[in-house]
Amino acid sequence: MAIVKKSFEMEELDCANCARKMQEAVAKLEGVQNVEISFMAQKMKLEYDDSDEKKLFKEIQKCIKKVEPDCSVCF
Amino acid sequence: MKFKLTKKQKKMLYRIIAGILLLIAAEVVTHIFSLPTLANIVIFLLPFGVAGYDVVRKAFLGVGNKQLFDENFLMTVATIGAMAVGEYSEGAAVMLFYQVGELFQSIATSRSRKSVAALMDIRPDSAVVIRDGERLEVHPEEVEVGELIEVTAGEKLPLDGIVESGETTLNTAALTGESLPREVTGGDEVLSGCVNLTGTITVRTTKPFGESTVSKILELVENASSKKARAENFITKFARYYTPVVVIAAVLVAVLPPLFTDISFKTQITRALNFLVVSCPCALVISVPMSFFGGIGGASRQGVLIKGGNYMETLSKVGTVIFDKTGTLTKGEFGVTELITNGCTSEELLFAAGSAELASNHPIARSLVKAAQDKGIALKRPEKCTDHSGRGISCVIDGEQMLVGSAALMKENGIKYREIQNSGTAVHVAKNGVYMGVMIVSDMLKPESAEAVSQLKALGIKTVILTGDTKSAGEAAAAALGIDEVHTELMPQDKVALAEKLISEGDGSTAFVGDGINDAPVLSRADVGIAMGAMGADAAIEAADIVLMDDKPTGIVTAVKISRKTLRIVYENIVFAIGIKVIVLITSALGFTNMWAAVFADVGVAVIAILNAMRALSKPRKKKA
């Protein structure tokens, strides 16, 4: 287990307010140290605990779909 | 400027056009024929559906995901609500108008995103590396330190290095904002991100791609968005509460008056629906970060790297700028600024001094050697040199006894010399006990320093010098530049103490400008630390909040102007967006405005705020003096 910092592209992120809501939701997930979703850059910067990466990525994707059904992260 | 729509935007455009045509048809049909209510609904649901089916779909998905304050959901409730109270054509038209606004917003956003991306398009895609005599095109990351790369005219330098062969002119504008081309030849250091203009050069790389100048700059600018200004944090907080508050207000508007007065539910529900339309804080959430993004991008184009919106905010309120002297306002290298001969030519004087100091490494000695060599004078190696610690040197050149050094040295040897009252260092020369003359060696002011100081003053900013240099040198520089306050002969800890005093006493915030080499403590202590000419000096980039990529102090003026402009745009947008929304909310509650005005307050305001935010990208206009 280690804390990793990575940046991911986001697809179909269409509204700035949604980006803000997603950021708030993802920040609450367990294993996420820090997250920043930039609407301008269409990117998500993530600092996370990589002990169960797959599960975390799934949860993040779910959070994002909840706010904007068409949006997704390119993990 | 031509702008291509994306596939999605084109599709939206066609849907809007179709929606408008269907709406006009529906209006005509319902005016000519008197149809039953059900038929009316169906006729108006057509344009509504064509324009807004995706909004309705997302609204349902949102409800499934318990996103009740979702923009799509609220918009759907508002328009369907309008139809439910019998305003069929209004419901459909508002949905159409909303989509038009969303399209504009999407176009404006992607356009501004592209302009910022174009500004930062200095990342090289490939490098031509020479391996075993063969030229290979590879990704810059694959080139190792110490390899040879070839850069032809018109290409970007992919990596930092030293020119091995060839000569050319480089355009450094992407790094420094300075459009003056730079000549380079074998042995010169070159930085990645520059554009090779004329010839082909081979370069021996000195840094891997990840640590080269261009990567560092991009990383810095990209990370800048994580350091948020107070204005941005305010918007984030505001956005969190705005939507729920407006929705609750809508419910109150719909329910309360009919309970206590004789106003009908129908009237109040129509009014309340307006609230739902303006319930998205989109205008602010998009435009404020966009302004900072644009300001930081625009500044980097002019050779000013700002590490975050918070520093921009602080710099916009700067009241005092503290300068380090050496290397910041001055070139940090000594030069002969004055030469007084006594019975000989200036060439003879330069020859004598230059030859005597030929072997010395002292900066003043080097400057004397350089001054002679610049004049094309051939120097001779001195013999029997004696170093008179800190006072000068005595030696034999061409069999003649030379004495080069301070006034004290002349006095010791009983030579009559000329007294000098000057800020620089006086170097006296005597041959065989006869006085030849004196040269003044001093640190030269940068040509842009005076302009920077006078422009800062014009912006109402106080200027201060803190220097470890002598009283006479420091005060002479301050007087020449028109600096307001000067403190000299300071040890590093004195600098920190004085800077703290200035920070606590000054109006507004305080910026410190240094060359970053020995100023790290003050750089980090000041409200804003600005490092100058710091390309390549990693420690300075780390410690500073703002980095000026070229050596020019005028960059500070640029930074202050861009910051002030960006902050003005941000506040304009905040006041404008919140103002219009509040006005529309109040007038809606009282029944003075219809849903059209509400849609304008939502998407129209967002588009205007975005267009305003894009101004942050452009250069601040120069005011005429």
Side-chain angles (χ1 to χ4, degrees):
Chain A
M1 129 173 194
I3 302 297
V4 227
K5 230 177 171 173
K6 274 187 191 163
S7 170
F8 305 97
E9 302 271 332
M10 311 261 309
E11 265 175 4
E12 307 262 331
L13 175 57
D14 278 346
C15 96
N17 200 30
C18 308
R20 184 187 64 77
K21 285 187 201 162
M22 289 173 194
Q23 182 173 316
E24 278 176 13
V26 173
K28 282 184 194 142
L29 292 177
E30 203 176 319
V32 175
Q33 296 278 316
N34 206 348
V35 61
E36 200 197 317
I37 295 180
S38 163
F39 172 67
M40 285 301 295
Q42 302 265 304
K43 266 182 194 166
M44 175 171 71
K45 269 187 206 152
L46 194 63
E47 229 182 296
Y48 64 99
D49 177 348
D50 71 348
S51 48
D52 196 350
E53 203 176 72
K54 264 193 186 158
K55 188 175 151 230
L56 181 66
F57 285 179
K58 233 185 211 166
E59 277 174 20
I60 292 176
Q61 201 72 273
K62 223 162 105 191
C63 270
I64 282 161
K65 292 269 180 211
K66 256 188 186 177
V67 180
E68 216 180 340
D70 298 333
C71 180
S72 61
V73 190
C74 312
F75 285 117
Chain B
M1 187 163 55
K2 258 200 159 178
F3 185 76
K4 261 189 151 172
L5 296 182
T6 62
K7 239 189 202 163
K8 215 171 152 193
Q9 288 166 346
K10 261 189 206 153
K11 195 176 151 204
M12 196 64 236
L13 185 66
Y14 297 142
R15 279 172 54 196
I16 288 169
I17 294 170
I20 291 173
L21 293 177
L22 282 170
L23 183 63
I24 293 171
E27 285 283 349
V28 172
V29 169
T30 48
H31 269 94
I32 297 173
F33 308 105
S34 148
L35 297 168
T37 316
L38 190 67
N40 262 338
I41 293 177
V42 171
I43 284 174
F44 280 104
L45 270 180
L46 272 174
F48 177 82
V50 168
Y53 73 83
D54 58 330
V55 175
V56 178
R57 172 182 156 255
K58 280 188 187 167
F60 277 106
L61 289 171
V63 173
N65 290 325
K66 299 190 188 94
Q67 296 283 327
L68 288 186
F69 293 130
D70 173 68
E71 200 187 346
N72 296 301
F73 174 68
L74 295 169
M75 198 61 213
T76 307
V77 171
T79 46
I80 292 183
M83 291 186 143
V85 294
E87 307 276 358
Y88 309 120
S89 98
E90 198 172 26
V94 162
M95 178 58 89
L96 254 173
F97 191 27
Y98 170 75
Q99 292 287 50
V100 172
E102 285 288 303
L103 178 63
F104 273 142
Q105 199 172 307
S106 155
I107 292 172
T109 314
S110 51
R111 206 172 131 163
S112 87
R113 192 184 289 142
K114 282 215 175 108
S115 342
V116 173
L119 278 187
M120 292 191 223
D121 184 27
I122 53 173
R123 193 193 296 276
D125 313 312
S126 67
V128 175
V129 64
I130 304 177
R131 283 182 191 149
D132 307 323
E134 280 193 55
R135 286 172 175 73
L136 294 170
E137 190 169 321
V138 296
H139 191 271
E141 266 176 22
E142 290 165 33
V143 181
E144 280 170 37
V145 174
E147 284 198 291
L148 262 188
I149 52 169
E150 186 183 78
V151 187
T152 50
E155 285 188 354
K156 278 179 220 141
L157 260 90
L159 295 132
D160 295 2
I162 288 166
V163 178
E164 185 100 346
S165 66
E167 50 188 72
T168 187
T169 326
L170 295 180
N171 179 355
T172 60
L175 297 184
T176 60
E178 174 62 60
S179 49
L180 201 72
R182 212 184 112 209
E183 310 274 336
V184 293
T185 169
D188 285 343
E189 196 187 346
V190 287
L191 299 177
S192 52
C194 297
V195 177
N196 184 0
L197 293 176
T198 48
T200 300
I201 48 171
T202 55
V203 175
R204 179 81 59 195
T205 60
T206 51
K207 277 179 188 163
F209 184 59
E211 283 167 35
S212 64
T213 307
V214 67
S215 302
K216 266 191 285 181
I217 292 172
L218 286 172
E219 196 186 297
L220 226 151
V221 176
E222 277 172 10
N223 285 336
S225 61
S226 56
K227 286 180 185 142
K228 294 207 184 334
R230 248 175 308 165
E232 280 176 280
N233 288 328
F234 163 72
I235 291 308
T236 315
K237 261 194 207 139
F238 179 83
R240 197 174 300 151
Y241 298 110
Y242 175 78
T243 312
V245 166
V246 172
V247 172
I248 291 166
V251 174
L252 296 180
V253 164
V255 175
L256 287 187
L259 287 182
F260 300 106
T261 63
D262 53 359
I263 304 175
S264 72
F265 270 109
K266 193 186 157 187
T267 320
Q268 281 312 110
I269 286 172
T270 319
R271 292 175 182 182
L273 292 176
N274 279 359
F275 276 58
L276 300 186
V277 176
V278 280
S279 64
C280 180
C282 307
L284 294 169
V285 178
I286 300 177
S287 75
V288 170
M290 189 187 275
S291 308
F292 282 110
F293 204 72
I296 289 170
S300 81
R301 197 62 204 249
Q302 294 187 59
V304 179
L305 295 186
I306 302 176
K307 285 197 189 168
N310 53 342
Y311 302 124
M312 210 166 216
E313 196 168 44
T314 316
L315 192 63
S316 72
K317 290 182 205 133
V318 75
T320 311
V321 174
I322 306 173
F323 290 94
D324 169 48
K325 185 178 77 75
T326 312
T328 304
L329 290 170
T330 68
K331 288 180 177 165
E333 54 188 60
F334 291 98
V336 174
T337 48
E338 220 178 318
L339 192 145
I340 304 163
T341 55
N342 185 34
C344 68
T345 64
S346 57
E347 280 77 18
E348 284 167 344
L349 188 65
L350 281 168
F351 168 78
S355 299
E357 301 282 11
L358 196 57
S360 170
N361 274 324
H362 191 275
I364 290 180
R366 301 311 311 160
S367 73
L368 291 171
V369 173
K370 190 171 176 292
Q373 283 170 343
D374 284 351
K375 282 256 157 77
I377 298 167
L379 300 178
K380 284 198 176 147
R381 199 147 280 284
E383 291 156 26
K384 296 177 192 162
C385 290
T386 316
D387 192 6
H388 303 272
S389 58
R391 284 163 300 161
I393 201 167
S394 62
C395 61
V396 176
I397 300 166
D398 286 344
E400 292 182 281
Q401 183 63 45
M402 308 301 290
L403 200 59
V404 178
S406 66
L409 186 70
M410 297 292 130
K411 217 180 238 170
E412 278 170 33
N413 289 279
I415 290 161
K416 263 188 93 178
Y417 64 95
R418 192 178 167 127
E419 291 272 1
I420 297 292
Q421 296 290 334
N422 198 300
S423 61
T425 308
V427 181
H428 300 270
V429 183
K431 178 160 80 178
N432 296 329
V434 182
Y435 190 56
M436 285 178 80
V438 60
M439 279 165 288
I440 311 296
V441 175
S442 48
D443 190 2
M444 288 177 285
L445 290 171
K446 288 182 190 167
E448 301 84 8
S449 295
E451 198 198 331
V453 172
S454 76
Q455 285 199 30
L456 284 175
K457 276 189 166 175
L459 293 170
I461 295 165
K462 182 177 154 188
T463 51
V464 180
I465 286 183
L466 297 184
T467 179
D469 210 343
T470 59
K471 192 167 191 278
S472 59
E475 284 178 355
L481 297 173
I483 294 267
D484 297 319
E485 199 176 313
V486 56
H487 301 273
T488 55
E489 296 176 10
L490 301 171
M491 303 302 283
Q493 62 269 30
D494 302 337
K495 277 194 185 181
V496 177
L498 263 169
E500 276 176 356
K501 193 165 158 258
L502 287 163
I503 290 164
S504 61
E505 284 174 358
D507 297 329
S509 58
T510 304
F512 178 82
V513 194
D515 60 3
I517 293 159
N518 45 21
D519 298 322
V522 199
L523 272 179
S524 52
R525 182 64 195 82
D527 298 325
V528 192
I530 305 177
M532 179 176 279
M535 282 334 300
D538 297 355
I541 295 188
E542 283 292 312
D545 309 319
I546 294 177
V547 180
L548 305 179
M549 309 240 266
D550 55 7
D551 274 338
K552 295 187 181 138
T554 36
I556 302 157
V557 182
T558 314
V560 172
K561 280 187 181 164
I562 291 179
S563 301
R564 285 191 180 177
K565 185 178 163 189
T566 305
L567 264 293
R568 197 173 56 237
I569 291 171
V570 166
Y571 288 122
E572 277 167 11
N573 279 345
I574 293 178
V575 171
F576 171 70
I578 297 183
I580 296 281
K581 287 193 187 221
V582 168
I583 291 171
V584 168
L585 285 176
I586 293 172
T587 51
S588 299
L590 300 172
F592 295 134
T593 33
N594 55 20
M595 209 176 258
W596 292 93
V599 176
F600 170 77
D602 183 44
V603 281
V605 165
V607 171
I608 294 172
I610 290 168
L611 293 178
N612 192 28
M614 282 183 72
R615 290 196 302 127
L617 265 172
S618 61
K619 274 190 184 183
R621 243 177 256 141
K622 270 194 182 152
K623 264 188 205 153
K624 277 177 192 161

